[in-house]
Amino acid sequence: MADLGDNKSNPPLNLFPHRGDRTYPPLFSDNKPAYTAKEMDAEIRLVARFHSLITWRISFSIALVCFELMCIISHLHILSAVYILLIANLLPVILLPFFAPHIHKSTPVLPFLRKRYHYSSLRYKTAEFSFFITGMFLVLWQLFNSTPAYPAAWLYKFPLLLLSASLFWRAAAPIVFSIRIRRDMGLIE
C-alpha cells in the first residue's frame, strides 16, 4: 500500500482509525468490503459539498463586510448588506432546532472524514437551506436596489456579482474539495 503521508513529514493518514473500536462498522471484514466504493464516493462528495458551503459562508461574509465598510467610508447607509450578512450567518443556528426532528441519523461510512470536517446531516441541511434563502435575499436586494451614489458604479450590481459568484462557487467548489479529500486520503495521486 502506498504511503498516505505527504512530503512535509506529516504522519500518514489513517484510513481505518476505528479498527479495534466496535462502535463503528468495519470498512472491511473477512476480506469482503462492508461498504462499496460507490458508498464511500457518495460520502466524500457529501462532505465536500458541506465544506464548500462553510467556506462559501466565510468568503461571502468577508465580501459583505468589505462592501459595508466601503459604503460607510463613503458616508452611505445601506443596511441591506448587514441584513443579508446576519441572515447568512444566523439562519443556520436558528434553524437547528426546527430541522433536528426531521433529520435521520445515518451510519457514517467514513467516520474520520465526518469528524475532520465537522460534518453532520443537520448542519449540512441548515447550511444548504440558508444558502438558498440568502440567494433569494440577494435577488431581492438587486431587484429593489435604489440607485444611490455608490463610490464606484459597479457596486450597484454588487448583489448580482455576489449571487453569480455564489452560484459558481456552489457548482465548482465541491468538485475541487472532493478531489482534495481523495488526494489527502491517498485514493488519487
Side-chain angles (χ1 to χ4, degrees), residues 90-149:
L90 293 179
L91 193 60
V93 176
I94 293 170
L95 291 174
L96 282 176
F98 297 109
F99 278 31
H102 304 290
I103 301 295
H104 302 290
K105 291 186 178 179
S106 62
T107 305
V109 176
L110 303 168
F112 64 93
L113 188 63
R114 288 183 178 211
K115 185 177 180 181
R116 180 177 180 185
Y117 289 99
H118 306 288
Y119 173 85
S120 73
S121 300
L122 181 60
R123 288 185 72 206
Y124 174 67
K125 289 298 179 189
T126 57
E128 192 173 42
F129 189 74
S130 68
F131 176 84
F132 176 73
I133 295 297
T134 304
M136 286 180 27
F137 276 99
L138 282 174
V139 169
L140 290 174
W141 182 19
Q142 183 63 53
L143 288 176
F144 298 107
N145 194 6
S146 59
T147 56

